[in-house]
Amino acid sequence: MDNKQKNNRIVRMNISVVVIVTLLTILVGCQNSNHAADPNAIVRSTRIELPNQDSNIIKTSWPSIGCWFWFQEEFEGEGYKRFIDLHEKYSPFELLSTSLRYPGDLTDPKVHDQIKAASLYARSKGIGLVMDLDIRLARDSFKEKYPDELQQIILLREFPLNKANTAALGVKAQGFDDHYTYGRNPYEPVTTKVLRVYSYSKEGGLIKSGTVKDITAAATSNATKDSVNITVDFDEADRGKTACALVAVTLYTPDVFAPHILSYQREILQQYADASLAGACKDEWGFPGRFTPQTNDLWYSSFMAKAYEQQRSGRDLLRDMLLMTYGETAAKADRIAAVNHYMEMYWKRNGEIETDYYHAIKEIFGKDAMSGTHPTWFPFPDNREIFKNGLSWWVSKRDVAQTDEATPFSVRTALAKKMWSPLWFNMYYDKDVNVYHKDIWRAALAGGRLNYHPLWPHPIDKLTTSLLEDSVMMAESRVKLLNYISAASPDCPVAVVFGHPAALNWNDDASFADVGLNIANALWKEGYYTDLIPSSEIVNGSLRINAGGKIQYGPQQYEAVIYYHPEYGQETVAAFFNKAAAAGKTSLYRVGEWTVNYDGQPFDGIAAMGNAVKKTDTLSAVTSVIAALQAKNILPQTKGDVHTVAGFPSSVMPKASGQLRLIDGTLIVVSGEHNLMGDSINQSVQADGHAIYFDAIGVAAVRLNKKGEVEALAGGGLKSFKSESLSFDLPERTDVVLYKENEKWRGIVQGYEGPLPQELTEITKNWVKLKWPEQYKPQ
């Protein structure tokens, strides 16, 4: 958004993004109007009514979210009550993303009944359960019902056809596991079988074209569920050649391309339609995760092969796997195309499953139910995540943007734009509670909040109270003041659009697993917030050119866009940049050449985009973009530094103190560098050219209307506020939120006992009091 104009104050948000606010009505039942007559009434939490979607102010009361993991205790009698009782008293959580870490199939009536009892009890305490009802927690029943729809992986193993007339090979399969297998069977091999054996000559490390022969009929095998021994009898013509066995390992988990996977995940949700849940989760979806993925181990199933054949006009997936893995002379274009199409199937199918789950939640639990947790597994766009889900994050539908652990901030803000989400939530953990102290504030300075995971690694019997013994919950309550006036996501004037095909094509060492994060990090470090977006978002129409000629993503308009690694891009992407260049409203740059298209055919992508898309490199792109923004008088936000979480790869995140601009003009000041509850904020700031003074602690925020008048403000430990249209000094520091609704002031105070001071009641008589969570003291 152009800071000079600020002419578009309307944030048109998808109704699903404000679902949580409506959900709090169901959970807590604390309508503001119920408390207007009694300003001294204290409530645990509240919500702010939403005007219609076309209003120029969209007020939200986003909940605090915690994680709850069920172990043996939760399944013993009313063992679930302890966690709920403790968090009702000692935390501000209104939603709990809840998942099983104990044996039991979701289709088991006993599991259903325990979850339902816990959900009803939680509702009675003003807390909603967003339950993990993923199909991976019902693998027993899925396998029993659909035994032929389990996931397979193809192990491609070369072996020589030597001087003898018989060659042998032994192949051992492995299993996989993740948190969905905690306390239950891993994704272990069910069967192992040879599907195909080829022979061929090699030339320059590649298969020599024209020499490939199917010799499956000459192979015999002896298999167990997790291994196979192969013997090949070959003739004189094949002596000295190389053979490759394609071994299919069937795993104990549903096939991503299974015909019944969508219907069965709906069946599971339907079984819990009576459980009074606040929503449902799908966490870290995709193929089984691999920390050291190999490109000669490729996910497969007969259903995936059929989809590939339909997409590629009859091409055989198994034969193309040989091509993708080892390459062939005179078939470079075919290899490029095969990998591109195969990996596109990866992310599209995973996104389809996630999005169908989202819609099923709405259909079964109601439009106000929440679709919870995150699509990110290994929280970084590298080869581990690529072979998990193909970087399907941007097409995995959620109510609000959700990530986990050390996901780069440029991804978090981009997902907020895609989901039309004022806030993003990051499921966060570390083994040391002191690390939380700063990262609460770091997140707030980029428009984010934590979805609080207990300390990890940590003793299981201490998980429930691991965060309650600290003052982290008090700090969350203070940061949460911003939730009541945060109606828009952070203003990120720059987008790095990475070539999705290039990042996924593992045969291109120059671009594989490189999404331009180095550029995004460099811009974040200088305070120029940047969204990271795949080029596939252009192809599907999500990244668009608006009526004013600017490139736009969700509510965000961009002043500068960098197209990173365009090689292998779809030709429609070139047309998009050509059109944007002609409009001349967004400064355009590219890093990398574009000589072949998506199908590996020669293509002059640079000419197709046009000369207005300026050639640059990684270092020059950063300086060029900053210069372009400075020429438009766009100021930086909070500068960043390199940071990580729980040992994951590092990226640049904001410092714990600074300022944040939201797209709708809201100005937020955060100060949490030294103290968990926030540092002093005693300063004058400029909001849309108007002077604002705060004397507060931790957080302070203001939004002005087009006339320069205050329409919303928030302050932690607020003592004084001064502006051209509203000023007051309080007798004692108080957590305060003020906002206008239908041109009338409404207010919230937190932790205030006794009659409100005259300075506040003169502004409005309509106040809600929120209580602080109590401090837990171990017995």
Side-chain angles (χ1 to χ4, degrees):
M1 182 178 289
D2 192 324
N3 284 6
K4 287 183 176 181
Q5 297 178 0
K6 291 289 183 184
N7 60 353
N8 183 10
R9 309 278 292 197
I10 299 176
V11 183
R12 295 185 55 86
M13 306 182 71
N14 189 304
I15 193 65
S16 66
V17 89
V18 294
V19 65
I20 300 174
V21 185
T22 307
L23 185 131
L24 288 181
T25 307
I26 303 170
L27 297 178
V28 187
C30 296
Q31 301 279 353
N32 283 334
S33 58
N34 293 345
H35 300 282
D38 183 5
N40 295 318
I42 299 177
V43 298
R44 181 172 185 272
S45 72
T46 188
R47 77 174 185 92
I48 298 173
E49 296 284 353
L50 288 172
N52 65 54
Q53 188 174 341
D54 292 326
S55 171
N56 67 335
I57 308 169
I58 298 178
K59 303 184 184 71
T60 61
S61 172
W62 299 92
S64 291
I65 308 177
C67 296
W68 185 14
F69 303 111
W70 281 31
F71 294 92
Q72 183 175 349
E73 176 184 359
E74 279 76 14
F75 281 97
E76 293 181 343
E78 295 182 333
Y80 52 80
K81 285 187 175 181
R82 176 172 176 263
F83 188 98
I84 295 168
D85 289 342
L86 286 170
H87 285 79
E88 178 205 12
K89 188 174 184 179
Y90 301 114
S91 87
F93 296 155
E94 293 128 335
L95 290 178
L96 295 172
S97 52
T98 309
S99 189
L100 306 185
R101 296 292 188 270
Y102 191 73
D105 192 288
L106 287 174
T107 61
D108 186 337
K110 293 180 180 179
V111 174
H112 164 274
D113 292 347
Q114 195 74 350
I115 290 173
K116 179 178 179 179
S119 178
L120 290 170
Y121 185 73
R123 277 190 182 270
S124 74
K125 301 293 185 177
I127 299 173
L129 298 193
V130 181
M131 194 72 205
D132 192 336
L133 300 178
D134 187 87
I135 197 169
R136 287 166 291 182
L137 294 173
R139 286 179 290 133
D140 288 347
S141 55
F142 183 87
K143 180 176 180 291
E144 182 178 355
K145 193 169 184 178
Y146 304 112
D148 297 326
E149 297 188 19
L150 299 183
Q151 183 63 60
Q152 293 181 309
I153 188 168
I154 296 293
L155 312 181
L156 292 96
R157 299 293 184 264
E158 286 188 322
F159 58 103
L161 300 179
N162 52 29
K163 294 181 180 180
N165 291 329
T166 300
L169 175 71
V171 178
K172 177 72 173 178
Q174 70 175 83
F176 305 88
D177 56 62
D178 58 23
H179 59 279
Y180 277 99
T181 63
Y182 189 100
R184 63 189 71 224
N185 290 336
Y187 309 128
E188 60 190 2
V190 175
T191 61
T192 301
K193 181 180 180 181
V194 178
L195 294 189
R196 200 82 54 88
V197 182
Y198 291 103
S199 69
Y200 43 81
S201 300
K202 300 290 285 279
E203 184 178 284
L206 301 175
I207 297 171
K208 185 176 180 180
S209 293
T211 67
V212 177
K213 184 169 65 171
D214 187 335
I215 60 170
T216 309
T220 58
S221 60
N222 181 21
T224 66
K225 69 175 185 177
D226 63 354
S227 66
V228 63
N229 292 312
I230 307 163
T231 301
V232 175
D233 296 321
F234 57 92
D235 56 31
E236 188 67 24
D238 285 327
R239 185 171 296 174
K241 292 184 178 181
T242 299
C244 182
L246 279 66
V247 178
V249 181
T250 301
L251 300 171
Y252 178 53
T253 192
D255 170 24
V256 168
F257 283 81
H260 291 96
I261 197 169
L262 299 184
S263 61
Y264 200 69
Q265 68 180 5
R266 283 172 176 259
E267 286 182 34
I268 296 169
L269 292 172
Q270 189 63 55
Q271 291 178 53
Y272 287 83
D274 66 339
S276 199
L277 295 170
C281 302
K282 182 176 284 293
D283 189 46
E284 301 183 1
W285 175 259
F287 295 97
R290 295 181 284 166
F291 288 101
T292 55
Q294 299 175 204
T295 57
N296 61 343
D297 294 350
L298 300 176
W299 295 113
Y300 174 84
S301 73
S302 61
F303 307 108
M304 185 183 192
K306 184 177 180 180
Y308 183 84
E309 181 181 359
Q310 291 173 343
Q311 180 170 315
R312 302 215 61 210
S313 300
R315 290 190 71 106
D316 175 37
L317 179 55
L318 286 173
R319 175 62 181 85
D320 275 3
M321 281 184 168
L322 188 70
L323 168 67
M324 288 187 277
T325 299
Y326 297 110
E328 296 182 29
T329 60
K332 183 177 180 180
D334 285 345
R335 188 183 193 187
I336 289 170
V339 175
N340 286 343
H341 283 278
Y342 177 72
M343 295 306 297
E344 181 185 16
M345 288 174 58
Y346 243 72
W347 67 260
K348 278 190 173 180
R349 178 60 173 176
N350 282 309
E352 178 187 12
I353 291 169
E354 298 248 33
T355 300
D356 190 75
Y357 192 74
Y358 168 89
H359 290 300
I361 290 169
K362 304 301 181 183
E363 292 168 17
I364 294 168
F365 297 129
K367 63 182 179 61
D368 297 328
M370 182 185 181
S371 173
T373 65
H374 49 92
T376 50
W377 169 61
F378 191 84
F380 204 77
D382 64 9
N383 65 330
R384 287 161 285 200
E385 193 72 8
I386 284 171
F387 285 107
K388 170 73 172 179
N389 54 43
L391 301 183
S392 61
W393 305 343
W394 291 262
V395 294
S396 297
K397 180 65 176 169
R398 294 291 191 277
D399 285 310
V400 292
Q402 296 179 70
T403 55
D404 73 325
E405 295 149 353
T407 305
F409 273 49
S410 52
V411 173
R412 304 183 198 189
T413 56
L415 290 178
K417 313 302 168 54
K418 178 61 185 289
M419 307 303 164
W420 290 84
S421 174
L423 298 178
W424 50 259
F425 283 87
N426 189 67
M427 187 182 285
Y428 178 93
Y429 72 85
D430 208 291
K431 62 182 179 180
D432 182 359
V433 72
N434 292 302
V435 183
Y436 290 67
H437 292 186
K438 268 193 183 180
D439 284 3
I440 294 172
W441 304 98
R442 289 178 182 272
L445 269 171
R449 305 291 183 266
L450 304 189
N451 177 182
Y452 290 84
H453 189 298
L455 295 182
W456 189 260
H458 203 68
I460 298 297
D461 60 346
K462 302 292 185 183
L463 282 183
T464 294
T465 58
S466 64
L467 293 182
L468 304 182
E469 296 175 11
D470 189 77
S471 296
V472 167
M473 297 294 95
M474 301 285 283
E476 164 65 15
S477 296
R478 175 152 284 169
V479 170
K480 188 187 170 185
L481 296 172
L482 300 175
N483 297 15
Y484 294 96
I485 69 168
S486 291
S489 47
D491 186 13
C492 302
V494 186
V496 172
V497 177
F498 67 90
H500 204 170
L504 302 187
N505 198 307
W506 68 76
N507 288 309
D508 191 332
D509 294 336
S511 63
F512 177 61
D514 182 359
V515 298
L517 189 59
N518 44 3
I519 295 178
N521 276 337
L523 288 163
W524 274 84
K525 190 171 185 178
E526 297 303 317
Y528 290 97
Y529 288 11
T530 299
D531 292 332
L532 186 65
I533 307 167
S535 61
S536 51
E537 290 292 275
I538 295 174
V539 179
N540 69 25
S542 298
L543 190 63
R544 61 189 180 85
I545 300 169
N546 65 23
K550 280 189 177 179
I551 294 178
Q552 183 167 338
Y553 195 52
Q556 179 74 63
Q557 300 181 64
Y558 295 110
E559 301 298 333
V561 171
I562 303 163
Y563 186 20
Y564 188 80
H565 284 171
E567 196 75 286
Y568 314 139
Q570 288 91 336
E571 296 181 18
T572 54
V573 176
F576 173 89
F577 279 106
N578 188 283
K579 182 179 179 180
K585 300 297 183 180
T586 301
S587 300
L588 302 174
Y589 307 86
R590 68 169 171 88
V591 175
E593 299 303 316
W594 194 352
T595 61
V596 298
N597 66 11
Y598 185 74
D599 287 312
Q601 300 304 313
F603 177 63
D604 190 348
I606 306 307
M609 285 192 293
N611 294 330
V613 181
K614 302 172 186 175
K615 179 181 179 180
T616 184
D617 55 36
T618 297
L619 292 177
S620 300
V622 175
T623 56
S624 296
V625 165
I626 291 176
L629 296 178
Q630 290 175 341
K632 296 180 180 181
N633 294 323
I634 296 175
L635 301 175
Q637 307 209 58
T638 301
K639 291 189 175 183
D641 52 24
V642 177
H643 184 63
T644 189
V645 172
F648 288 101
S650 59
S651 59
V652 174
M653 305 179 182
K655 297 180 179 180
S657 294
Q659 293 187 14
L660 168 67
R661 290 189 309 272
L662 303 183
I663 291 174
D664 66 353
T666 301
L667 176 66
I668 295 173
V669 182
V670 169
S671 186
E673 191 70 39
H674 304 291
N675 298 300
L676 173 59
M677 292 304 295
D679 303 325
S680 174
I681 299 172
N682 194 331
Q683 65 185 93
S684 292
V685 296
Q686 290 289 314
D688 289 348
H690 299 272
I692 304 291
Y693 170 76
F694 286 106
D695 181 357
I697 296 174
V699 296
V702 65
R703 181 169 59 248
L704 307 180
N705 63 20
K706 293 180 180 179
K707 299 177 182 178
E709 301 168 335
V710 176
E711 66 180 24
L713 69 91
L718 189 63
K719 187 69 168 61
S720 299
F721 176 84
K722 292 180 174 62
S723 72
E724 297 167 7
S725 62
L726 177 69
S727 298
F728 55 85
D729 291 283
L730 300 178
E732 60 182 276
R733 292 193 178 277
T734 306
D735 283 1
V736 176
V737 177
L738 276 163
Y739 62 94
K740 279 190 175 180
E741 185 175 82
N742 298 325
E743 299 303 318
K744 294 183 179 180
W745 284 110
R746 306 181 77 120
I748 300 168
V749 293
Q750 179 170 244
Y752 195 95
E753 297 182 1
L756 293 177
Q758 181 180 353
E759 290 83 354
L760 294 181
T761 57
E762 284 181 348
I763 299 172
T764 180
K765 304 295 184 184
N766 200 337
W767 288 91
V768 171
K769 285 185 175 181
L770 303 181
K771 68 177 182 179
W772 287 102
E774 298 180 32
Q775 179 69 57
Y776 175 79
K777 296 180 180 179
Q779 299 297 320

